[in-house]
Amino acid sequence: MSKAFKHSFNFSTQHEASYPKKHFASSNNKLSFKSCKASLGAIMVDKMSPFNYDRQSNLKAFDDTKTGVKGLFDSGITKIPPIFVHHDGQNANQNMAKSVHAGKKVNGFGVPTIDLMMDRTNDHINHSDIVNQVREACENWGFFQVINHGIPTSVLEDMLHAIRLFHEQDHEAKSELYSRDMARKVLYHSNIDLYYSKAGVWKDTITFNMEPSPPQPEEIPIICRNAAIEYGKYVMELAVDLLRLISEALGLNPSYLQDLECGEGHVLKGHYYPPCPEPELTFGTADHTDNTFLTILLQDQIGGLQVLNNNQWVDVPPLPGALVINLGDLLQIVTNDRFKSVHHRVLANKIGPRISVASFFRPRYGGGAVTRSYGPIKELLSEKNPAVYKDITIEEYTTQFLKESMDGNAALSHFKL
Ligand code: OGA
Ligand code: NI
C-alpha cells in the first residue's frame, strides 16, 4: 500500500463516523473512478491518484446527493467529511496567524478603496486622479474596492438576497439544475473542481453564462430571475467603465481593452458558503488566481475574503455598497506583468451563510467564436521592457489553467518566454 493511500485511508475512517451514511451509499470504486475520468476528460486524469479509489468514490457519493455542502450542513454534521480536509499545511488555522486585519487600516495599509463618483463630474483633475489611483492599485495590489460605482444599492441587495433564496430552496427545486456541464446557460453544483482539486471547499455555486449569448429569461430559476438579469445588465456596464479606466491607467486609448474584446464574455456565479463546523480544516475558496481579464465581486457582510500581498494574507473587509475588483491572469499577460493577477482565497467560517456574487469578464470563448491571440500589448513594450509572455489563444490558456487547477500562477509561468 502506498504511503499516500494509507494517509487518506486513515483520515477517511477517522472522519466517517459523523458523516451521514446515505451520502456514502456503497458504490463500485472502480466504476466511479472510470466515470469520473469519462466526464472530466483527459486533461483532468493526471491530477488523480490511481491509488485513491476511496476518495474518488466518496467524491462521487457526495456529488450524487446533488445537495452540495448546504445539504451536509442541513444534515447536522459536527465534523466535515475527509474529502474537504486540506492536508498540505495550507489550512486556515496555520495561515490565520499571518492574516492582517486590514479593515483597521493600520498606517493606511490595506486594499485600496476608490470612489468613482468623482469620475462622473467630468472634472479633468478628478478624472486623472482616479486613473492614478487605479494604476497604483493595479500595480501594487491587483485588488481594490469601488464605491459610488453606479449600481444602485437596491440592485446589489436584491442580487445577494436572490442568490440566498436560490440556495435555500428545497432540494427538488435545485437538483434539476445540478450539473458540471459548463456549456449550459444556467447550472448549479458544489465545487467546480471537485474531482481534480487536492481537497474540496465549503461552497456551492449557481452559474449563469450571461454574455455573449445570455440565457432566455425562462431558463433562469424564477426565484432569482429578475435580480440576475438586472444585476447582470448593470455589472456589464461597470466592467466597460473599469476597462476604460484600466486602459488609461496603462497610458492607452480609453477604448483599448474593449477593442481587444477583453470583456465580451461574462460568467456570473452566485456562491453560497454555509456555516462550517470545522472551519480550520478547510476553506470557503482555496488559494487561486482568476482566469479572467477582470473580476467584479459583490460580497455580503460576513467577511473571509483575503488577498496575498507581500507574503501576507490581508482581509478584504466588507464595505456596505462597495464592489471588489480584481485583475485576472489574462490582464497580467497583456500588461507584461505590470498589473498583477493576485492570489486570493476565502476562509471557511462557523458563522454563515456567506453569499457572494462573482462576475468574470474575459473574451468570448468556445462555440466557434473567432479565436484571436493575446500577448503583451506592443505599445507597452520597449528595449528595457521586452515581452515576457508569448501570444496565446484563450483556448490554449484555458486548457493550461484547468491542467494546473488551483495552483495559482502556474498557468501563467507556462506561457513565459
Ligand atoms: C471567485 C472568488 C471570492 C468570494 O469566485 O473566483 O474568488 O468572495 N470568490 O466568493
Ligand atoms: Ni477568484
Side-chain angles (χ1 to χ4, degrees):
M1 190 186 282
S2 84
K3 234 178 161 180
F5 180 63
K6 241 193 200 153
H7 188 60
S8 81
F9 181 77
N10 286 343
F11 263 93
S12 231
T13 45
Q14 189 185 316
H15 275 77
E16 226 158 53
S18 61
Y19 192 49
K21 278 284 176 282
K22 61 178 175 158
H23 292 133
F24 281 103
S26 76
S27 71
N28 178 326
N29 289 340
K30 271 207 175 118
L31 194 75
S32 62
F33 182 59
K34 232 165 130 189
S35 60
C36 295
K37 258 172 135 172
S39 62
L40 289 167
I43 54 171
M44 311 302 180
V45 173
D46 58 0
K47 287 273 163 195
M48 294 177 195
S49 158
F51 303 108
N52 224 343
Y53 289 127
D54 182 57
R55 177 173 169 78
Q56 290 305 318
S57 65
N58 284 6
L59 291 172
K60 175 95 168 57
F62 166 70
D63 208 17
D64 285 349
T65 67
K66 302 187 177 184
T67 57
V69 288
K70 166 94 171 58
L72 291 177
F73 172 73
D74 289 345
S75 73
I77 55 159
T78 55
K79 289 191 171 302
I80 64 169
I83 54 172
F84 297 100
V85 176
H86 288 243
H87 293 295
D88 54 3
Q90 286 292 307
N91 74 46
N93 231 4
Q94 282 159 329
N95 277 321
M96 204 86 84
K98 282 194 253 159
S99 299
V100 170
H101 294 278
K104 295 195 184 106
K105 285 233 169 189
V106 182
N107 298 328
F109 180 78
V111 175
T113 300
I114 301 177
D115 186 342
L116 296 183
M117 182 63 112
M118 290 141 66
D119 206 23
R120 306 199 191 279
T121 62
N122 283 329
D123 178 328
H124 181 71
I125 297 171
N126 281 347
H127 181 77
S128 57
D129 185 39
I130 289 172
V131 171
N132 288 339
Q133 288 182 54
V134 168
R135 183 186 308 110
E136 222 166 90
C138 291
E139 282 178 347
N140 299 328
W141 286 89
F143 250 85
F144 53 99
Q145 306 217 48
V146 289
I147 54 172
N148 297 317
H149 39 61
I151 308 186
T153 309
S154 61
V155 173
L156 306 182
E157 281 169 359
D158 287 354
M159 185 60 180
L160 288 171
H161 185 60
I163 294 302
R164 180 172 185 155
L165 289 180
F166 170 79
H167 286 281
E168 292 184 350
Q169 290 177 104
D170 287 348
H171 171 51
E172 291 68 35
K174 287 188 294 182
S175 60
E176 64 180 37
L177 282 178
Y178 199 91
S179 169
R180 297 189 178 279
D181 177 3
M182 293 305 283
R184 284 201 188 184
K185 292 284 178 209
V186 183
L187 62 147
Y188 142 76
H189 53 236
S190 185
N191 282 258
I192 185 172
D193 56 351
L194 184 71
Y195 291 105
Y196 53 96
S197 63
K198 286 186 214 128
V201 292
W202 209 249
K203 172 174 76 175
D204 300 332
T205 302
I206 179 170
T207 301
F208 310 87
N209 282 307
M210 296 299 266
E211 298 290 346
S213 44
Q216 295 298 320
E218 56 278 12
E219 291 178 271
I220 302 176
I222 183 84
I223 203 159
C224 55
R225 186 178 299 161
N226 289 343
I229 293 172
E230 191 73 352
Y231 182 76
K233 219 170 50 192
Y234 274 108
V235 82
M236 192 79 194
E237 285 172 15
L238 178 59
V240 170
D241 287 346
L242 289 164
L243 286 174
R244 291 177 71 84
L245 285 171
I246 294 168
S247 299
E248 286 187 78
L250 289 164
L252 301 166
N253 180 313
S255 67
Y256 197 101
L257 290 171
Q258 240 176 305
D259 296 342
L260 272 186
E261 300 168 357
C262 293
E264 292 205 347
H266 175 205
V267 177
L268 186 63
K269 293 191 179 197
H271 300 307
Y272 186 94
Y273 302 85
C276 179
E278 294 181 297
E280 62 290 348
L281 297 184
T282 189
F283 285 97
T285 298
D287 176 8
H288 69 288
T289 60
D290 289 354
N291 62 351
T292 57
F293 270 97
L294 188 71
T295 305
I296 299 179
L297 182 89
L298 165 63
Q299 63 168 336
D300 70 9
Q301 298 304 304
I302 295 283
L305 175 64
Q306 296 185 322
V307 301
L308 194 62
N309 184 266
N310 287 325
N311 281 326
Q312 278 192 314
W313 286 105
V314 177
D315 290 338
V316 184
L319 207 61
L323 289 160
V324 178
I325 313 299
N326 71 282
L327 313 182
D329 286 358
L330 296 167
L331 198 67
Q332 183 165 339
I333 290 176
V334 299
T335 65
N336 206 37
D337 278 348
R338 180 164 173 196
F339 287 179
K340 300 290 187 303
S341 172
V342 165
H343 285 253
H344 54 287
R345 65 181 191 183
V346 179
L347 300 179
N349 197 337
K350 271 198 192 292
I351 297 164
R354 174 179 185 267
I355 319 291
S356 69
V357 179
S359 281
F360 299 103
F361 293 96
R362 45 185 282 161
R364 57 172 72 206
Y365 162 64
V370 183
T371 50
R372 68 191 298 166
S373 49
Y374 289 87
I377 292 170
K378 301 288 172 286
E379 288 87 333
L380 303 179
L381 301 177
S382 65
E383 232 171 80
K384 270 201 190 143
N385 180 25
V388 294
Y389 294 103
K390 56 184 171 189
D391 287 10
I392 51 163
T393 64
I394 298 300
E395 268 83 356
E396 283 169 326
Y397 170 75
T398 305
T399 305
Q400 191 62 29
F401 186 87
L402 288 175
K403 242 187 188 168
E404 307 292 350
S405 182
M406 295 300 230
D407 290 344
N409 276 339
L412 271 186
S413 56
H414 185 83
F415 298 113
K416 286 237 161 157
L417 282 166

